[in-house]
Amino acid sequence: MDLFEYQGKELLRKYGVPVPEGRVASTPEEAVAAARKLGGRVVVKAQVLIGGRGKAGGIKVARSPEEAGEVTDQILGMDVRGHTVKRVLVERAGDITDEYYCSFLVDRSERQFLGIMSAEGGVDIEEVAANDPEKITRVHIDPLLGISQFHARELVFGADIDRDARKEAIAILPKLYDAFVSLDASLVEVNPLVLTGEGRVMALDAKVSVDDSAGYRHPIFDELKTVHEVPEQERLAKEKGLTFIKLDGDVGIIGNGAGLVMSTLDVVKAAGGDPANFLDVGGGAGADVLSSALEVITSNSEVNSVLINIFGGITRGDLVAEGIIDALGRLEIKVPIVVRLDGTNAEQGRKMLADAPHEMLVTAATMLEGAEKAVELAGKGGE
Amino acid sequence: MDLFEYQGKELLRKYGVPVPEGRVASTPEEAVAAARKLGGRVVVKAQVLIGGRGKAGGIKVARSPEEAGEVTDQILGMDVRGHTVKRVLVERAGDITDEYYCSFLVDRSERQFLGIMSAEGGVDIEEVAANDPEKITRVHIDPLLGISQFHARELVFGADIDRDARKEAIAILPKLYDAFVSLDASLVEVNPLVLTGEGRVMALDAKVSVDDSAGYRHPIFDELKTVHEVPEQERLAKEKGLTFIKLDGDVGIIGNGAGLVMSTLDVVKAAGGDPANFLDVGGGAGADVLSSALEVITSNSEVNSVLINIFGGITRGDLVAEGIIDALGRLEIKVPIVVRLDGTNAEQGRKMLADAPHEMLVTAATMLEGAEKAVELAGKGGE
Amino acid sequence: MAILIGNDTRLLVQGLTGREGSFHGLRNKKYGTNLVAGVTPGKGGSDVEGVPIFDTVREATTATGANTSMVFVPPPVAADAILESHDAGIEVIIAITEGIPAMDMARTVTHLRRGQRAAALIGPNCPGVISPGKANVGIIPGEVCTEGPVGLVSRSGTLTYQIVYELTQEGIGQSTCVGVGGDPIPGSDFIDVLERFEKDDLTKLVVLVGEIGGDAEERAAAWVKENMRTPVVAYIAGFTAPPGKRMGHAGAIVSGSQGTAAAKKEALEAAGIRVATNPTEVSAIVGELL
Amino acid sequence: MAILIGNDTRLLVQGLTGREGSFHGLRNKKYGTNLVAGVTPGKGGSDVEGVPIFDTVREATTATGANTSMVFVPPPVAADAILESHDAGIEVIIAITEGIPAMDMARTVTHLRRGQRAAALIGPNCPGVISPGKANVGIIPGEVCTEGPVGLVSRSGTLTYQIVYELTQEGIGQSTCVGVGGDPIPGSDFIDVLERFEKDDLTKLVVLVGEIGGDAEERAAAWVKENMRTPVVAYIAGFTAPPGKRMGHAGAIVSGSQGTAAAKKEALEAAGIRVATNPTEVSAIVGELL
């Protein structure tokens, strides 16, 4: 789960990382009140889970509480690369002498943690990595040993951080690392980490991603999640235990296992079709799950056919058939459903489907045949 | 530094290890007050840094505050194998269903930590180890990984702890380990760990040894140390940066480096003498340290001769000589001082001594010659 | 021969008394796997359909000579279970459990890989390992597999079954099929498994099944080029997958790869590996090369 | 040859700008040791009598090719300094610092020994290593040593000088003298060093200097019996030492040894090792055996 800037900063503050004083606001009135409390100049920042808000006009300085209200009014509702702004962070503005980049993340290849630091902060770090790779310092950290002072020194001296900022930066890095580990984060990225006019070092932005699997030991994750908005269809799917992502085509896809579903999308595409979604019923799905999946898929009016591609492992073919039959009886399904069923209890399932004929039900012997049929039928439905 | 039982228990309590409620008392009156506060039956336990207090009569049950005062009066001042009892721990008495043994310590050979558990608690564990080694379960713990639940389970199931005590024991072991590591302890030993009549598991005794080297990050060590009494001569030596242990012979020994001093004791013994002490001036000792060392040694009236055996590395022979000359001038030294000097600046030192003759000053060319002379002179002095 | 598991496997299941653990453990046993023990703390002395249960892995290995463990315990205690097996000397640990926090795995995998005694950890969040006709440890449906010369290693579950099924349909058997799982920090990656296949007498060709994300396929491609004589055929799922959301930019800096299916295909082909465009084509190419 | 340090040693000193670090570092340089760098965070760019100072060990190794580090920093930062050298690829780390907490060393030594790349750590709380005529890293007075065929390994400092001095007096030179230090968790113990001496061409005989406490001598005795062809002569200090206070009983259970000088002597002699009764006798026995 990605966290909003203001959420990430609140957490980092708990681990002793200095962040600017600020308050979140979801109306201009709240922004005015926040700016009044903070006093002086403030920065109003759009809270969205995507980069590029600065270029989109989502960050504005205000010299008075009234102005803070005005710019908040402009920012709220703004679209930043497909994300609608629902909240702003109102922060005390400060003088900035220099900007750096730093992050901690999991390096999957090395199966270690990685600290990254650069004196080139406040800019697109991927560009720095591409154009001036020597300006980026990486230090691996053994997960069992954890961070030592020398790691922090290697990052700070290696990145050639200004002399004035070194001591504080070296002190902050272990706190950031501590937050990274203690929060079960997969990423803690501060860009920029700034040196202020008063000679302080602080995190001016924060991108924190946490590991949902660790939610059981972080009750706060549920709380943070409440402000995360997901599209209605996705939310519904999630409630039913399904992984669903909407796409732009007209062939609805249901499968079990992310790899098989991705492969199904690929063969549908290769057969000349356009998948309408990604939907993984997961392992060991029962009849109710299949039935719900069909409900979610067919609620999309753009869908002209559905391909159900199940290879049973834990998932049982008989239960899959039961779910399909249930959905066909329960819902008013107006598009053809192509079913391809193999693996555990597949024979039994295929027999159940054969025994319950339905005008919209089509069976396929193989995955490729299923894809071809679904694409063909979608084409007809679309005409 | 070894801690008194009551100190160890107070620390363990901070890490969540259940211990009986209790108070320390250094007078019968304090013990009466403590027993009154606790209510009911209490146990009064001599606080000494040595085992065997039970057999020596240093643990007594009292049914009333008055009785607690009486037994405290008996216990205070008692001698337990050379240790005088200055304090007692007054604890609430409870029913005990069973007694176990457990400890965490550094296993030097394996350079790992070791957890030890036995269902045979409350007895001399060394005897159990010798007679019934299969009744002792050992589990190594990687210092970087730390304790996992499985380590606790292996100890508890391995030692075949009663079913009723298992769950709590498994929960307590990680806390004990946490205390062991967080306190920079070299040993945390609980003998016995008990199962009470109410089905609770708690530490009825606690032997905690902490690493003096880690004192800089544990301000509490200084506080704990205030009640540790050391013999006057040792305390004086320590103040001067010397490591001093009194022995029973008449040949005073001064050397640099524990190994060399031990070796010096051995050769003196082999030459037929009896060392009066162990005194290590440490590395890089200056003139003042040498002078103080001579002062400490010669303040022991049983000393009939002194052997100074210095092999200079960081320690400089000229400064050693300067210290000896200073002491000979400053103190009224009535016993012969045999000096053997080699290593860094030894020649210079030997020359300085030759240039400052003193009736009590004797030089030796080798360590063996020094030992022989010192023993011979002590023999004469003793006659 | 086969790799990781086979006729010498003496399996213990951590969590054999649980619903899923007993279902799959007994299913593996039925397949012919030598299931010798189960471990559930506090249930030592009982049994699951004749398979003895022990309180600790150490007791189980001492009593039964178990050398392989399947982990079927819930996520909060799964890392502990893996460490316990390793500590007790188990040689192959196959962790099926899904949803273990990455921090737990980072510590666990580091410990296992740095130890003086290396244990092979497969998973977590994986379908397991099957050496057809010899042993099946995990949830791969044994009936789709058949004995033969093709090794298979995959990050995916059901997609593995699909490809194995296609191979079997074409009469091409498998030496061992290994699902390494899709977690951020797997116990074994493609290279760890390829290394074993390269040394295995039975394996004449290896199928590598990848998917979008990370750079495991790219690294495997480079490794194959440098180290492998056994031919490799690959399949990558996810050409049509929606671009994954990602926040922050550190990830891409690290791997230097965009993690797309196209990038992976390119890397594999650059290493001389043929990449099938769909699961059916995998078996066609394998048939051609064998 | 010699072990650990020699003509190929390129030394960096962590803490070269400190009082003791500069005194001994420069003394080692004067002896002929190739001192190439110092490391003091924040003082990068300066120098100590012409020896360049760097902010980090990594910078120092990159710039100077340093392969050996001497640690002379205060106890609270010493474990960090050792880890830094290891992480930067230093092969031999010699830690003189006394008073490093045992917990720090437990973690550090575990990390060093478990790593894919093993670094030799000597110390902490040790006098260092000297390969007479080649290099001296530490505080052993070079002038008492002379080049020759005897390797020496010792837990003690000044006692080492005494014995080396006795050997030199008898005209018996040393290949390398190693002080492993007296801390509870040493980076290297007798066995680690004996293993190196056994493989060293120059070393024809090894003197082992032990003292009371622990069971390092007993374990070394067993190891020598099993693995060593090079003759070993031992000396143990502490026959007359007062019995150490100890609290709790766990320690004795662990080692199974009382740790007395007599017990050590017995173990060594049982392994066929001659044990001298005083430092002078060491050189007599060595002279006899060479």
Side-chain angles (χ1 to χ4, degrees):
Chain A
M1 171 173 57
D2 295 339
L3 304 186
F4 287 105
E5 178 194 6
Y6 77 93
Q7 296 178 320
K9 279 181 170 168
E10 261 169 45
L11 292 174
L12 291 186
R13 195 200 306 269
K14 285 187 191 162
Y15 290 90
V17 178
V19 296
E21 214 179 321
R23 278 145 199 271
V24 71
S26 50
T27 64
E29 293 71 38
E30 283 176 21
V32 171
R36 191 160 288 140
K37 274 270 185 195
L38 292 168
R41 284 195 318 145
V42 297
V43 185
V44 178
K45 303 164 88 178
Q47 297 297 289
V48 279
L49 296 177
I50 191 104
R53 63 180 172 179
K55 285 178 197 157
I59 302 181
K60 292 194 191 300
V61 175
R63 268 144 305 183
S64 68
E66 292 66 35
E67 197 183 346
E70 284 157 29
V71 301
T72 299
D73 194 39
Q74 292 160 27
I75 293 174
L76 288 173
M78 178 184 277
D79 179 273
V80 181
R81 296 165 69 196
H83 290 242
T84 307
V85 180
K86 304 269 180 147
R87 279 170 205 79
V88 295
L89 174 59
V90 183
E91 279 186 344
R92 179 170 289 152
D95 288 342
I96 292 164
T97 305
D98 214 335
E99 300 186 318
Y100 319 115
Y101 171 95
C102 76
S103 61
F104 288 102
L105 71 159
V106 175
D107 180 352
R108 295 175 178 216
S109 316
E110 298 292 327
R111 287 176 263 205
Q112 294 212 357
F113 300 144
L114 185 65
I116 302 180
M117 187 140 207
S118 175
E120 304 288 307
V123 297
D124 185 340
I125 197 71
E126 278 184 67
E127 266 175 40
V128 179
N131 302 329
D132 299 296
E134 79 289 351
K135 290 198 171 156
I136 291 180
T137 299
R138 295 146 207 243
V139 173
H140 276 107
I141 298 170
D142 181 295
L144 285 176
L145 187 65
I147 198 166
S148 280
Q149 279 294 321
F150 85 83
H151 292 115
R153 290 197 304 266
E154 281 191 2
L155 285 166
V156 168
F157 285 110
D160 209 11
I161 300 301
D162 308 74
R163 189 168 284 271
D164 293 346
R166 276 183 200 163
K167 205 178 154 194
E168 283 201 34
I170 289 172
I172 286 173
L173 290 182
K175 292 173 183 170
L176 268 181
Y177 177 87
D178 185 20
F180 168 73
V181 171
S182 305
L183 289 170
D184 272 289
S186 52
L187 172 70
V188 167
E189 186 179 56
V190 175
N191 187 17
L193 181 75
V194 298
L195 173 62
T196 69
E198 297 86 44
R200 298 295 315 282
V201 174
M202 56 168 65
L204 206 64
D205 195 0
K207 295 190 178 69
V208 177
S209 277
V210 295
D211 179 0
D212 290 305
S213 294
Y216 70 85
R217 58 188 174 206
H218 298 284
I220 199 174
F221 284 9
D222 279 337
E223 202 179 299
L224 296 169
K225 208 171 284 178
T226 57
V227 297
H228 283 67
E229 281 161 36
V230 285
E232 179 58 16
Q233 217 180 1
E234 277 184 40
R235 199 190 52 73
L236 207 85
K238 199 159 191 178
E239 268 182 27
K240 312 264 184 194
L242 310 166
T243 308
F244 176 90
I245 300 166
K246 195 178 170 327
L247 300 171
D248 295 330
D250 61 350
V251 182
I253 309 280
I254 295 174
N256 62 325
L260 186 62
V261 178
M262 281 196 281
S263 178
T264 308
L265 298 184
D266 289 348
V267 296
V268 164
K269 186 86 177 179
D274 276 312
N277 65 278
F278 172 105
L279 192 153
D280 175 11
V281 296
D288 53 330
V289 173
L290 256 294
S291 182
S292 302
L294 263 173
E295 187 172 354
V296 167
I297 297 283
T298 54
S299 73
N300 176 357
S301 61
E302 283 161 38
V303 166
N304 290 323
S305 75
V306 176
L307 171 57
I308 301 179
N309 185 22
I310 300 287
F311 201 106
I314 317 190
T315 309
R316 283 163 49 186
D318 54 334
L319 297 181
V320 170
E322 191 184 316
I324 294 170
I325 293 165
D326 173 72
L328 288 171
R330 189 165 60 86
L331 311 167
E332 220 178 305
I333 289 183
K334 295 176 181 158
V335 296
I337 313 289
V338 182
V339 181
R340 180 271 177 153
L341 203 50
D342 266 308
T344 311
N345 294 2
E347 219 162 310
Q348 202 179 328
R350 283 195 293 262
K351 191 173 175 308
M352 287 166 67
L353 292 177
D355 291 348
H358 185 283
E359 50 170 353
M360 287 296 139
L361 188 64
V362 181
T363 58
T366 69
M367 182 167 156
L368 291 186
E369 189 194 314
E372 278 156 15
K373 282 191 177 173
V375 171
E376 194 197 325
L377 291 166
K380 280 185 189 155
E383 279 161 358
Chain B
M1 171 175 56
D2 295 340
L3 304 186
F4 287 106
E5 176 193 8
Y6 78 93
Q7 295 178 320
K9 279 181 170 170
E10 261 168 45
L11 292 174
L12 291 186
R13 195 200 306 267
K14 286 187 192 162
Y15 289 89
V17 178
V19 295
E21 215 179 320
R23 279 145 199 273
V24 72
S26 51
T27 64
E29 293 69 36
E30 283 175 21
V32 170
R36 192 161 285 142
K37 274 270 185 194
L38 293 168
R41 284 195 317 147
V42 296
V43 184
V44 178
K45 303 163 88 178
Q47 297 298 290
V48 279
L49 297 176
I50 190 105
R53 64 181 171 176
K55 285 181 197 153
I59 301 180
K60 289 194 194 300
V61 176
R63 268 145 305 184
S64 67
E66 292 66 35
E67 198 182 345
E70 283 159 29
V71 300
T72 300
D73 194 39
Q74 291 160 31
I75 293 173
L76 287 174
M78 178 184 276
D79 179 272
V80 181
R81 296 164 69 196
H83 291 242
T84 307
V85 180
K86 304 269 180 147
R87 280 168 204 80
V88 295
L89 174 59
V90 184
E91 278 186 343
R92 180 170 288 153
D95 287 344
I96 292 164
T97 305
D98 215 334
E99 299 186 319
Y100 318 115
Y101 172 94
C102 75
S103 61
F104 289 102
L105 71 157
V106 175
D107 180 352
R108 298 175 176 213
S109 317
E110 299 291 328
R111 288 177 260 205
Q112 295 211 358
F113 300 145
L114 185 65
I116 302 180
M117 187 139 207
S118 174
E120 305 289 307
V123 297
D124 184 340
I125 199 69
E126 278 184 66
E127 265 176 40
V128 179
N131 303 328
D132 301 295
E134 78 289 351
K135 289 198 172 159
I136 290 179
T137 299
R138 295 149 208 239
V139 173
H140 276 106
I141 298 169
D142 181 294
L144 285 175
L145 188 65
I147 197 166
S148 279
Q149 278 294 322
F150 85 82
H151 292 115
R153 291 196 304 267
E154 280 190 3
L155 285 166
V156 168
F157 284 111
D160 209 10
I161 300 299
D162 307 78
R163 189 168 284 273
D164 294 345
R166 277 183 199 162
K167 207 179 152 188
E168 284 201 35
I170 288 172
I172 287 172
L173 290 183
K175 293 173 184 169
L176 268 181
Y177 178 87
D178 185 20
F180 168 72
V181 171
S182 305
L183 289 170
D184 273 290
S186 51
L187 171 71
V188 167
E189 185 178 57
V190 175
N191 187 16
L193 181 75
V194 298
L195 173 63
T196 69
E198 298 85 45
R200 297 294 317 282
V201 174
M202 56 168 65
L204 207 65
D205 195 359
K207 293 192 178 72
V208 177
S209 278
V210 295
D211 179 0
D212 291 305
S213 294
Y216 70 86
R217 59 189 175 206
H218 298 284
I220 198 174
F221 285 8
D222 279 338
E223 202 179 299
L224 295 169
K225 208 171 284 177
T226 55
V227 297
H228 284 68
E229 281 161 35
V230 285
E232 180 57 18
Q233 216 179 1
E234 279 184 39
R235 199 190 52 73
L236 207 86
K238 200 161 190 176
E239 267 181 26
K240 313 264 184 194
L242 310 167
T243 308
F244 175 90
I245 300 167
K246 191 177 173 330
L247 300 170
D248 295 330
D250 61 351
V251 181
I253 309 279
I254 295 175
N256 63 327
L260 185 61
V261 179
M262 281 195 282
S263 178
T264 309
L265 298 185
D266 289 348
V267 296
V268 163
K269 187 86 178 179
D274 276 311
N277 66 278
F278 172 104
L279 191 153
D280 175 10
V281 296
D288 53 332
V289 173
L290 255 293
S291 180
S292 302
L294 262 173
E295 186 172 357
V296 167
I297 297 282
T298 53
S299 73
N300 177 357
S301 61
E302 283 161 39
V303 166
N304 289 324
S305 75
V306 176
L307 170 57
I308 300 180
N309 184 22
I310 300 287
F311 201 105
I314 317 189
T315 309
R316 284 163 48 187
D318 53 334
L319 298 181
V320 170
E322 189 184 318
I324 294 170
I325 293 165
D326 172 74
L328 287 172
R330 189 165 60 86
L331 310 167
E332 219 179 303
I333 290 185
K334 297 177 181 157
V335 296
I337 313 288
V338 182
V339 182
R340 180 269 175 157
L341 202 51
D342 265 308
T344 310
N345 295 1
E347 219 159 313
Q348 201 178 329
R350 283 194 294 261
K351 190 173 176 306
M352 285 164 69
L353 292 177
D355 290 349
H358 185 283
E359 51 168 350
M360 287 295 141
L361 187 64
V362 182
T363 59
T366 69
M367 181 167 158
L368 291 186
E369 187 195 314
E372 279 157 14
K373 282 192 174 169
V375 171
E376 193 197 325
L377 290 165
K380 281 185 188 154
E383 280 163 358
Chain C
M1 270 277 293
I3 67 166
L4 292 164
I5 62 168
N7 292 323
D8 297 337
T9 294
R10 297 178 64 81
L11 180 66
L12 79 76
V13 177
Q14 292 176 269
L16 186 62
T17 58
R19 198 172 55 84
E20 289 203 45
S22 66
F23 178 76
H24 291 285
L26 294 171
R27 200 160 157 240
N28 289 165
K29 182 172 187 241
K30 213 166 160 190
Y31 185 83
T33 314
N34 189 8
L35 174 61
V36 298
V39 171
T40 303
K43 297 202 175 162
S46 66
D47 76 280
V48 168
E49 301 200 5
V51 180
I53 303 298
F54 298 87
D55 290 314
T56 66
V57 174
R58 199 175 292 278
E59 284 170 14
T61 53
T62 305
T64 68
N67 56 15
T68 302
S69 169
M70 175 159 71
V71 175
F72 242 120
V73 301
V77 295
D80 182 67
I82 294 167
L83 291 168
E84 179 176 5
S85 270
H86 175 251
D87 204 60
I90 291 286
E91 290 156 20
V92 175
I93 305 168
I94 296 168
I96 311 299
T97 307
E98 183 183 344
I100 306 178
M103 284 293 159
D104 292 6
M105 287 316 300
R107 291 167 46 81
T108 302
V109 170
T110 301
H111 183 70
L112 264 63
R113 290 171 74 88
R114 296 289 168 79
Q116 270 105 346
R117 193 178 40 73
L121 171 64
I122 305 294
N125 187 19
C126 84
V129 181
I130 182 167
S131 292
K134 300 185 183 74
N136 187 8
V137 177
I139 63 177
I140 299 177
E143 45 297 359
V144 304
C145 304
T146 184
E147 224 168 324
V150 174
L152 186 142
V153 58
S154 170
R155 279 169 70 188
S156 163
T158 45
L159 182 54
T160 308
Y161 316 159
Q162 174 70 35
I163 290 171
V164 169
Y165 181 70
E166 304 258 11
L167 289 169
T168 296
Q169 295 269 308
E170 294 299 314
I172 301 166
Q174 304 88 41
S175 55
T176 304
C177 304
V178 184
V180 294
D183 266 14
I185 303 179
S188 297
D189 63 8
F190 285 135
I191 297 171
D192 296 320
V193 178
L194 289 171
E195 218 169 338
R196 289 176 186 264
F197 276 134
E198 176 69 6
K199 288 184 200 146
D200 180 43
D201 293 340
L202 187 55
T203 305
K204 305 297 178 206
L205 182 148
V206 178
V207 173
L208 181 154
V209 182
E211 58 186 49
I212 50 167
D215 67 346
E217 291 80 4
E218 287 87 334
R219 284 182 294 118
W223 190 88
V224 166
K225 195 175 177 186
E226 284 296 310
N227 303 284
M228 240 171 134
R229 292 159 157 239
T230 314
V232 177
V233 174
Y235 173 70
I236 303 291
F239 283 86
T240 320
K245 267 195 320 177
R246 73 198 160 90
M247 192 166 124
H249 297 263
I253 304 178
V254 178
S255 66
S257 161
Q258 296 302 320
T260 62
K264 290 172 188 299
K265 182 169 186 277
E266 199 178 308
L268 290 160
E269 287 178 343
I273 298 168
R274 283 181 67 180
V275 182
T277 56
N278 61 55
T280 312
E281 207 185 273
V282 173
S283 56
I285 299 175
V286 171
E288 205 177 294
L289 292 180
L290 268 181
Chain D
M1 270 276 294
I3 67 167
L4 293 163
I5 64 169
N7 292 323
D8 297 337
T9 293
R10 298 178 64 80
L11 180 66
L12 81 75
V13 177
Q14 293 176 268
L16 186 63
T17 58
R19 197 172 54 84
E20 289 202 43
S22 66
F23 177 77
H24 291 285
L26 294 171
R27 199 158 160 241
N28 289 165
K29 182 171 187 244
K30 211 165 162 191
Y31 185 82
T33 314
N34 188 7
L35 174 62
V36 298
V39 171
T40 303
K43 297 203 176 161
S46 66
D47 77 278
V48 168
E49 299 199 9
V51 180
I53 303 297
F54 298 87
D55 290 315
T56 66
V57 174
R58 200 175 292 278
E59 286 170 13
T61 54
T62 305
T64 67
N67 57 14
T68 302
S69 169
M70 173 159 72
V71 175
F72 242 117
V73 300
V77 294
D80 183 68
I82 293 168
L83 291 168
E84 179 175 4
S85 270
H86 174 251
D87 205 60
I90 292 285
E91 290 156 20
V92 176
I93 304 168
I94 296 167
I96 312 298
T97 307
E98 183 182 345
I100 306 179
M103 285 291 160
D104 291 5
M105 288 316 299
R107 291 168 46 81
T108 302
V109 170
T110 301
H111 184 71
L112 265 62
R113 291 171 73 88
R114 296 288 168 82
Q116 269 104 348
R117 193 177 41 70
L121 170 65
I122 305 293
N125 186 18
C126 83
V129 181
I130 182 168
S131 292
K134 302 186 181 74
N136 187 7
V137 177
I139 62 178
I140 299 176
E143 51 288 5
V144 304
C145 304
T146 184
E147 225 170 326
V150 173
L152 185 142
V153 57
S154 169
R155 281 169 69 189
S156 164
T158 43
L159 183 53
T160 307
Y161 317 158
Q162 173 70 35
I163 290 172
V164 169
Y165 180 72
E166 304 259 11
L167 289 168
T168 296
Q169 295 271 309
E170 294 298 313
I172 302 167
Q174 304 89 41
S175 55
T176 304
C177 304
V178 184
V180 294
D183 267 14
I185 303 179
S188 297
D189 63 9
F190 284 134
I191 297 172
D192 297 320
V193 178
L194 290 171
E195 220 169 337
R196 289 177 186 267
F197 276 133
E198 176 68 6
K199 290 185 198 143
D200 180 43
D201 293 340
L202 187 55
T203 304
K204 305 297 177 208
L205 183 149
V206 179
V207 172
L208 182 155
V209 182
E211 56 186 52
I212 50 166
D215 65 347
E217 291 79 4
E218 287 87 333
R219 285 181 296 118
W223 191 88
V224 166
K225 194 176 178 184
E226 284 297 311
N227 303 285
M228 238 171 135
R229 290 160 159 239
T230 314
V232 176
V233 173
Y235 173 71
I236 303 291
F239 283 86
T240 320
K245 263 196 324 177
R246 75 198 160 91
M247 192 167 121
H249 298 263
I253 302 177
V254 178
S255 67
S257 160
Q258 296 302 320
T260 60
K264 290 174 189 299
K265 181 169 189 274
E266 198 178 309
L268 289 161
E269 287 179 341
I273 297 167
R274 283 180 68 178
V275 183
T277 55
N278 61 55
T280 312
E281 205 186 274
V282 173
S283 56
I285 298 176
V286 171
E288 203 178 297
L289 291 180
L290 269 181

